[in-house]
Amino acid sequence: MPTIQTLRTQIDSLNLRLLEVLSERAKLAEEIGELQTQIGTAHYDPVREAEMLDTLTQANSGPFTDATVKSLFKSIFQASMQLENESDKVKYLTSRQTHREDTVVYLGDVPIGSTHSPVLVAGPCSIESKEQMEAVAKFVAERGVKLLRGGAFKPRTDPYSFQGLGVEGLKLGREVCDRYDLKFISEIMDAADLDAFVEYADMLQIGARNMQNFTLLKAVGRSKKPVLLKRGLSATIEEWVMAAEYLLYEGNENVVLCERGIRTYEKYTRNTLDVSAVALAKLETHLPVLVDVTHSGGRQDLLIPLTKAGLAIGADGIMIEVHPNPAVALSDNKQQVDFETFDKYLEETGYHKKLSQKRHEVYGF
Ligand code: PEP
Ligand code: MN
């Protein structure tokens, strides 16, 4: 009499053989699925399925009943079909399913993302003059800020308002960044300016109004320069992530997303900071995410709470506008903070420490 143990050992080895045969079958089914996709026919073929079940029940000599054999094989057919349908799905480069690890984007030696300390991007809305840039660069660099922002090409709602200094502005930004060991972030609006941006900037910002400018996305994607992709004014998270997909598809993996508030019915704020979008962008994609607290609230008195909210939900950094004399700024003069307010901001958000610590030392996660 065989013992239960010896019979179980035989079952174990049969299980492995079955698995081997099932896997071999699944691979063949996948190959058939690929051919079907190529010629555009459906994966499910009821006539073929009925034929296979007929052949199987005719060959069945027990102990399973025909119904049981049918049900077992139907499960196998279904599992194969699932595989075929899965491989039809586009593998998005931005997706965590394609790329599990957090992406870290480097601006020179400054890392953004994953376990690195949250960055702070500070600087004026617009680059206005050599004196302004000198003052702001010196001031923020002394406080440990490594990333300077400043717009040279400005997307203004009103065509009669200040449009930016153009390439001259980019040169001013580069000059002060080199002097104070800062990395320079500036918004590109037109693919025709790409060469100048590649020469003068360290990171190209694609603004909210250009998030779906696909020609620009493709051109910037081909450039491989780090990109800061703002969320469009009324863009869904999916549209935002798809815009990032364009950049990755073109070969640029150095993409940082930036939530900057979306348009809602609310009037107390300029936009509504969508904090869940920050968490979702980090769950769905592997890209770092920043929060722009200046444009999302549009209010100085919200800068600190929005910064805390952004960091608490997992943002990899914050963007804030600072200007030597906001009252006379040529754009966003109500929202930019002066130097004194910026110092208070650093103090109250704990950013002066965050700029020198590791993320887990700051948050414990
Ligand atoms: C900016 O950062 O200066 C800007 C114009 O931002 P947004 O595109 O988010 O409005
Ligand atoms: Mn601005």
Side-chain angles (χ1 to χ4, degrees), residues 101-130:
E101 302 299 310
D102 289 334
T103 284
V104 177
V105 173
Y106 283 88
L107 300 198
D109 57 349
V110 183
I112 308 178
S114 195
T115 54
H116 295 284
S117 184
V119 294
L120 185 60
V121 181
C125 182
S126 300
I127 296 172
E128 298 167 3
S129 69
K130 197 177 165 100

Short mmCIF file of all heavy atoms in Angstrom, two decimals, residues 101-130:
data_model
loop_
_atom_site.label_atom_id
_atom_site.label_comp_id
_atom_site.label_asym_id
_atom_site.label_seq_id
_atom_site.Cartn_x
_atom_site.Cartn_y
_atom_site.Cartn_z
N GLU A 101 10.26 51.74 -9.55
CA GLU A 101 11.08 52.60 -8.68
C GLU A 101 10.79 54.08 -8.92
O GLU A 101 10.50 54.48 -10.03
CB GLU A 101 12.57 52.35 -8.97
CG GLU A 101 13.03 50.91 -8.80
CD GLU A 101 12.82 50.42 -7.38
OE1 GLU A 101 13.23 51.12 -6.44
OE2 GLU A 101 12.21 49.35 -7.20
N ASP A 102 10.93 54.88 -7.86
CA ASP A 102 10.83 56.33 -8.01
C ASP A 102 11.91 56.83 -8.95
O ASP A 102 13.07 56.41 -8.83
CB ASP A 102 11.11 57.03 -6.66
CG ASP A 102 10.00 56.81 -5.66
OD1 ASP A 102 8.85 56.60 -6.08
OD2 ASP A 102 10.29 56.88 -4.44
N THR A 103 11.55 57.73 -9.83
CA THR A 103 12.57 58.38 -10.66
C THR A 103 13.15 59.55 -9.89
O THR A 103 12.43 60.28 -9.22
CB THR A 103 11.93 58.87 -11.98
OG1 THR A 103 11.73 57.73 -12.81
CG2 THR A 103 12.81 59.86 -12.72
N VAL A 104 14.47 59.70 -9.96
CA VAL A 104 15.11 60.87 -9.37
C VAL A 104 15.65 61.70 -10.53
O VAL A 104 16.36 61.18 -11.39
CB VAL A 104 16.26 60.46 -8.42
CG1 VAL A 104 16.96 61.69 -7.85
CG2 VAL A 104 15.73 59.58 -7.29
N VAL A 105 15.27 62.96 -10.57
CA VAL A 105 15.75 63.85 -11.64
C VAL A 105 16.86 64.72 -11.05
O VAL A 105 16.69 65.31 -9.98
CB VAL A 105 14.59 64.72 -12.19
CG1 VAL A 105 15.11 65.75 -13.18
CG2 VAL A 105 13.54 63.82 -12.86
N TYR A 106 17.98 64.76 -11.73
CA TYR A 106 19.13 65.55 -11.25
C TYR A 106 19.28 66.82 -12.05
O TYR A 106 19.32 66.78 -13.28
CB TYR A 106 20.43 64.73 -11.37
CG TYR A 106 20.57 63.70 -10.28
CD1 TYR A 106 20.04 62.42 -10.43
CD2 TYR A 106 21.22 64.01 -9.09
CE1 TYR A 106 20.15 61.48 -9.42
CE2 TYR A 106 21.34 63.06 -8.07
CZ TYR A 106 20.81 61.81 -8.24
OH TYR A 106 20.91 60.88 -7.24
N LEU A 107 19.36 67.94 -11.36
CA LEU A 107 19.78 69.18 -12.00
C LEU A 107 21.23 69.36 -11.56
O LEU A 107 21.48 69.80 -10.43
CB LEU A 107 18.96 70.38 -11.54
CG LEU A 107 17.44 70.35 -11.79
CD1 LEU A 107 16.86 71.75 -11.70
CD2 LEU A 107 17.12 69.74 -13.12
N GLY A 108 22.14 68.96 -12.39
CA GLY A 108 23.53 68.92 -11.96
C GLY A 108 23.64 67.96 -10.80
O GLY A 108 23.26 66.79 -10.90
N ASP A 109 24.10 68.47 -9.64
CA ASP A 109 24.24 67.59 -8.47
C ASP A 109 23.04 67.69 -7.53
O ASP A 109 23.08 67.18 -6.43
CB ASP A 109 25.54 67.94 -7.72
CG ASP A 109 25.58 69.41 -7.30
OD1 ASP A 109 24.71 70.19 -7.76
OD2 ASP A 109 26.48 69.79 -6.52
N VAL A 110 21.98 68.36 -7.96
CA VAL A 110 20.80 68.50 -7.07
C VAL A 110 19.74 67.47 -7.45
O VAL A 110 19.17 67.51 -8.54
CB VAL A 110 20.19 69.92 -7.18
CG1 VAL A 110 19.02 70.08 -6.21
CG2 VAL A 110 21.25 70.99 -6.94
N PRO A 111 19.47 66.50 -6.54
CA PRO A 111 18.47 65.49 -6.85
C PRO A 111 17.06 65.94 -6.49
O PRO A 111 16.86 66.61 -5.47
CB PRO A 111 18.89 64.32 -5.95
CG PRO A 111 19.61 64.95 -4.81
CD PRO A 111 20.11 66.29 -5.22
N ILE A 112 16.11 65.57 -7.33
CA ILE A 112 14.69 65.83 -7.01
C ILE A 112 13.98 64.49 -7.04
O ILE A 112 14.00 63.78 -8.05
CB ILE A 112 14.03 66.77 -8.04
CG1 ILE A 112 14.85 68.05 -8.24
CG2 ILE A 112 12.59 67.11 -7.62
CD1 ILE A 112 14.29 69.01 -9.29
N GLY A 113 13.31 64.15 -5.92
CA GLY A 113 12.48 62.95 -5.91
C GLY A 113 12.96 61.87 -4.96
O GLY A 113 14.03 61.95 -4.37
N SER A 114 12.09 60.86 -4.82
CA SER A 114 12.34 59.68 -4.00
C SER A 114 12.66 60.05 -2.56
O SER A 114 11.94 60.84 -1.94
CB SER A 114 13.43 58.82 -4.62
OG SER A 114 13.41 57.55 -4.03
N THR A 115 13.76 59.53 -2.01
CA THR A 115 14.04 59.76 -0.59
C THR A 115 14.85 61.02 -0.35
O THR A 115 15.24 61.31 0.78
CB THR A 115 14.84 58.56 -0.02
OG1 THR A 115 15.98 58.38 -0.84
CG2 THR A 115 14.01 57.30 0.00
N HIS A 116 15.10 61.78 -1.41
CA HIS A 116 15.90 62.99 -1.23
C HIS A 116 15.11 64.10 -0.54
O HIS A 116 13.88 64.14 -0.63
CB HIS A 116 16.44 63.47 -2.58
CG HIS A 116 17.40 62.49 -3.18
ND1 HIS A 116 18.69 62.36 -2.74
CD2 HIS A 116 17.23 61.55 -4.13
CE1 HIS A 116 19.28 61.40 -3.41
NE2 HIS A 116 18.41 60.88 -4.26
N SER A 117 15.84 64.97 0.11
CA SER A 117 15.20 66.08 0.82
C SER A 117 14.37 66.91 -0.16
O SER A 117 14.78 67.12 -1.30
CB SER A 117 16.30 66.94 1.43
OG SER A 117 15.73 67.94 2.20
N PRO A 118 13.18 67.38 0.28
CA PRO A 118 12.36 68.16 -0.63
C PRO A 118 13.07 69.44 -1.07
O PRO A 118 13.65 70.14 -0.23
CB PRO A 118 11.11 68.48 0.19
CG PRO A 118 11.49 68.23 1.60
CD PRO A 118 12.56 67.20 1.59
N VAL A 119 13.02 69.72 -2.37
CA VAL A 119 13.70 70.91 -2.87
C VAL A 119 12.81 72.14 -2.73
O VAL A 119 11.60 72.02 -2.52
CB VAL A 119 14.11 70.75 -4.35
CG1 VAL A 119 15.16 69.67 -4.52
CG2 VAL A 119 12.89 70.47 -5.23
N LEU A 120 13.43 73.29 -2.83
CA LEU A 120 12.68 74.53 -2.87
C LEU A 120 13.13 75.29 -4.11
O LEU A 120 14.32 75.55 -4.29
CB LEU A 120 12.95 75.36 -1.62
CG LEU A 120 12.12 76.64 -1.48
CD1 LEU A 120 10.63 76.35 -1.43
CD2 LEU A 120 12.53 77.42 -0.21
N VAL A 121 12.16 75.59 -4.98
CA VAL A 121 12.44 76.39 -6.16
C VAL A 121 11.95 77.79 -5.85
O VAL A 121 10.76 77.98 -5.57
CB VAL A 121 11.68 75.85 -7.40
CG1 VAL A 121 12.00 76.70 -8.63
CG2 VAL A 121 12.00 74.39 -7.64
N ALA A 122 12.84 78.75 -5.84
CA ALA A 122 12.43 80.11 -5.49
C ALA A 122 12.98 81.08 -6.52
O ALA A 122 14.00 80.82 -7.17
CB ALA A 122 12.96 80.47 -4.10
N GLY A 123 12.28 82.21 -6.66
CA GLY A 123 12.74 83.22 -7.61
C GLY A 123 11.56 84.03 -8.10
O GLY A 123 10.41 83.72 -7.78
N PRO A 124 11.85 85.04 -8.88
CA PRO A 124 10.76 85.92 -9.30
C PRO A 124 9.86 85.29 -10.36
O PRO A 124 10.26 84.32 -11.01
CB PRO A 124 11.52 87.12 -9.89
CG PRO A 124 12.79 86.55 -10.38
CD PRO A 124 13.15 85.44 -9.43
N CYS A 125 8.69 85.87 -10.49
CA CYS A 125 7.79 85.44 -11.56
C CYS A 125 8.49 85.71 -12.88
O CYS A 125 8.75 84.79 -13.66
CB CYS A 125 6.47 86.21 -11.45
SG CYS A 125 5.26 85.71 -12.68
N SER A 126 8.85 86.99 -13.11
CA SER A 126 9.53 87.37 -14.35
C SER A 126 10.93 87.88 -14.07
O SER A 126 11.17 88.53 -13.05
CB SER A 126 8.78 88.52 -15.04
OG SER A 126 7.47 88.14 -15.36
N ILE A 127 11.81 87.62 -15.02
CA ILE A 127 13.14 88.22 -14.97
C ILE A 127 12.99 89.63 -15.52
O ILE A 127 12.51 89.82 -16.65
CB ILE A 127 14.12 87.40 -15.83
CG1 ILE A 127 14.27 85.99 -15.21
CG2 ILE A 127 15.46 88.11 -15.97
CD1 ILE A 127 15.07 85.01 -16.05
N GLU A 128 13.36 90.63 -14.71
CA GLU A 128 13.09 92.01 -15.11
C GLU A 128 14.35 92.84 -15.36
O GLU A 128 14.35 93.73 -16.21
CB GLU A 128 12.24 92.69 -14.02
CG GLU A 128 10.89 92.00 -13.83
CD GLU A 128 10.17 92.44 -12.56
OE1 GLU A 128 10.68 93.33 -11.85
OE2 GLU A 128 9.10 91.89 -12.28
N SER A 129 15.40 92.58 -14.60
CA SER A 129 16.63 93.37 -14.77
C SER A 129 17.80 92.62 -14.13
O SER A 129 17.61 91.69 -13.33
CB SER A 129 16.49 94.72 -14.08
OG SER A 129 16.45 94.53 -12.68
N LYS A 130 18.98 93.08 -14.46
CA LYS A 130 20.20 92.51 -13.91
C LYS A 130 20.22 92.69 -12.38
O LYS A 130 20.54 91.77 -11.63
CB LYS A 130 21.39 93.25 -14.53
CG LYS A 130 22.72 92.57 -14.40
CD LYS A 130 23.77 93.40 -15.14
CE LYS A 130 25.15 92.95 -14.74
NZ LYS A 130 25.80 92.08 -15.66
#
